[in-house]
Amino acid sequence: MKKNIKGFTTRCIHDGELIDYKYKGAVSPLYLSTAYDYLKVEDHKYPRYFNTPNQLALSKKISSLENCEKSLIFGSGIAAIFASMFSFLKSGDHVVFQSSLYGGTINLILKEFKKFNIEHSLVESLEIDDYKKEIKSNTKLIYIETPSNPLLQIIDLELVADLAKKNDLISIIDNTFASPINQNPVNYGIDIIIHSATKYLGGHSDILAGTISSSKILIDKILESSINYGGNLSEHTVWLLERSIKTLSLRVKAQNNNAFKIAEFLNGSENIKSVYYPGLKSHPQHELAKKQMFGFGGMLSFLLKDENKSDAFTRHLKIIKPAMSLGGVESTITSPSLTSHSKISKAKREKFGISDGLLRFSVGIEDYDDLENDLTQAFQKI
Ligand SMILES: *Cc1c(COP(=O)(O)O)cnc(C)c1O
């Protein structure tokens, strides 16, 4: 493991920046070439090989933030998720999944795995023994998401990593909800860390991207396959993502603070049935979150006392936008059953604990009082 000495904010700004030797500009130059000299350089550069100057520079920044040796940057989070699994899988293999996953990931498993004759288990509990039970002779990967979407469940990173190591499996985590600022899973022994950079890393709801961070050995293996799959991010967007990450630490800390206060406010409100936020003492895995996270994050979910009013409530909000996606500087609210989990049957959703009235709140960096006032006026209207 690489030892970091600088703080997150400094690393967000400076690590991996490209130096403008020619003009001494303060920011990374953008290199748009798709055609590079192959006679004078050993490392043949091509955007789909994930090795252009801007891609390599940004991947250094992300590796630094995730405390990993190497990273790759993809055109979407789901492209990163696909590559992280399929680079290691072949027909006849088996994967153990936590069931509480991003809807698109569930969809990928349920719709695509069968075509390749890849088996899977979806484990509904957070108990490590329930994962152990699912491991078979053909199991290759164990895949988790913590905090999970949309119920903010927390699974023990150290126990998952140990289970994987003992059984010769590769452990993968979708770390999107935490962001590297709140959680570095590699510190607990998790092998591969994925982000939908569309969310916190991009942070302004205007970039679609994904990342994979891991050891040199595993990244080189993923790279070998990813060159065949395609799926790198365009150079323009790589540059924009680098710029966005410079404020990641500041943004996430502001989001942590706002979300904590909002969770406490909602928890004390007579209009609310339940609040799901790992920072609340009442959260079932609060102590575990405290142990393995640097901060509790900017995401929370809640149920109104009258669940049927969640749509009306959302429509009355003035600052908080009803919007799919999350992790932007602006506060957004969404109904998982109508968006991220809409392709999953109602019966399956309810099995996963996602009722139709559940609202997921991605807390932004607005002034706290304005957010509380917005919620209060919407409560008054329903
Ligand atoms: C959005 C999201 C994804 C998928 O990422 P895209 O960038 O939309 O492809 C994966 N995991 C989580 C937790 C997400 O929120």
Side-chain angles (χ1 to χ4, degrees), residues 181-201:
I181 308 303
N182 285 327
Q183 179 168 276
N184 282 156
V186 80
N187 296 356
Y188 295 91
I190 300 289
D191 297 310
I192 296 176
I193 293 96
I194 290 163
H195 284 281
S196 166
T198 312
K199 316 298 164 53
Y200 287 101
L201 300 188

Side-chain angles (χ1 to χ4, degrees), residues 275-296:
V275 182
Y276 304 86
Y277 185 65
L280 290 176
K281 285 210 179 68
S282 55
H283 186 284
Q285 298 98 36
H286 173 66
E287 288 303 318
L288 178 59
K290 227 159 76 176
K291 184 190 124 193
Q292 68 188 26
M293 298 180 78
F294 307 125
F296 297 116

Side-chain angles (χ1 to χ4, degrees), residues 47-110:
R48 184 165 49 75
Y49 297 172
F50 295 80
N51 64 357
T52 54
N54 289 90
Q55 288 192 65
L56 291 180
L58 177 58
S59 69
K60 271 190 199 145
K61 193 189 286 294
I62 290 161
S63 299
S64 163
L65 296 176
E66 275 298 3
N67 210 14
C68 287
E69 287 173 352
K70 284 183 98 175
S71 300
L72 297 172
I73 303 144
F74 290 81
S76 70
I78 212 78
I81 290 168
F82 178 89
S84 75
M85 294 199 281
F86 280 80
S87 301
F88 299 101
L89 294 173
K90 59 177 189 327
S91 170
D93 285 345
H94 171 255
V95 185
V96 177
F97 290 96
Q98 180 181 347
S99 73
S100 179
L101 296 173
Y102 173 71
T105 310
I106 296 270
N107 222 28
L108 166 64
I109 300 161
L110 298 182

Side-chain angles (χ1 to χ4, degrees), residues 42 76 110 270 333:
E42 262 173 55
S76 70
L110 298 182
E270 55 183 14
I333 201 157

Side-chain angles (χ1 to χ4, degrees), residues 14-245:
H14 294 292
D15 280 12
E17 62 193 337
L18 277 179
I19 308 295
D20 177 2
Y21 289 108
K22 194 162 181 191
Y23 299 110
K24 313 290 179 210
V27 305
S28 299
L30 168 56
Y31 296 100
L32 288 173
S33 278
T34 53
Y36 284 89
D37 187 335
Y38 68 92
L39 293 174
K40 299 195 190 83
V41 251
E42 262 173 55
D43 168 28
H44 293 163
K45 295 202 172 300
Y46 190 56
R48 184 165 49 75
Y49 297 172
F50 295 80
N51 64 357
T52 54
N54 289 90
Q55 288 192 65
L56 291 180
L58 177 58
S59 69
K60 271 190 199 145
K61 193 189 286 294
I62 290 161
S63 299
S64 163
L65 296 176
E66 275 298 3
N67 210 14
C68 287
E69 287 173 352
K70 284 183 98 175
S71 300
L72 297 172
I73 303 144
F74 290 81
S76 70
I78 212 78
I81 290 168
F82 178 89
S84 75
M85 294 199 281
F86 280 80
S87 301
F88 299 101
L89 294 173
K90 59 177 189 327
S91 170
D93 285 345
H94 171 255
V95 185
V96 177
F97 290 96
Q98 180 181 347
S99 73
S100 179
L101 296 173
Y102 173 71
T105 310
I106 296 270
N107 222 28
L108 166 64
I109 300 161
L110 298 182
K111 299 274 161 66
E112 304 300 327
F113 270 34
K114 254 187 262 148
K115 296 182 198 165
F116 298 95
N117 188 32
I118 296 166
E119 300 169 18
H120 71 272
S121 304
L122 283 169
V123 183
E124 273 162 49
S125 101
L126 301 169
E127 296 298 323
I128 199 70
D129 283 344
D130 294 325
Y131 290 78
K132 200 168 164 183
K133 270 184 235 157
E134 295 299 323
I135 296 174
K136 311 192 241 176
S137 57
N138 58 340
T139 305
K140 291 289 151 62
L141 312 172
I142 180 162
Y143 184 109
I144 58 165
E145 193 178 306
T146 180
S148 70
N149 179 17
L151 294 173
L152 289 306
Q153 295 177 328
I154 311 286
I155 190 164
D156 194 314
L157 294 174
E158 200 169 357
L159 294 182
V160 171
D162 285 351
L163 181 68
K165 286 200 170 69
K166 284 201 186 100
N167 291 279
D168 242 349
L169 314 178
I170 294 172
S171 53
I172 306 179
I173 182 173
D174 183 335
N175 203 29
T176 300
F177 264 40
S179 91
I181 308 303
N182 285 327
Q183 179 168 276
N184 282 156
V186 80
N187 296 356
Y188 295 91
I190 300 289
D191 297 310
I192 296 176
I193 293 96
I194 290 163
H195 284 281
S196 166
T198 312
K199 316 298 164 53
Y200 287 101
L201 300 188
H204 296 74
S205 309
D206 56 7
I207 287 174
L208 192 83
T211 68
I212 302 179
S213 303
S214 187
S215 63
K216 181 178 180 314
I217 293 173
L218 293 182
I219 287 289
D220 286 349
K221 177 97 172 80
I222 296 168
L223 175 62
E224 220 176 270
S225 294
S226 297
I227 286 172
N228 301 328
Y229 302 152
N232 64 283
L233 186 62
S234 84
E235 306 301 316
H236 272 118
T237 319
V238 165
W239 188 91
L240 198 55
L241 183 55
E242 189 218 336
R243 191 183 71 168
S244 301
I245 293 176

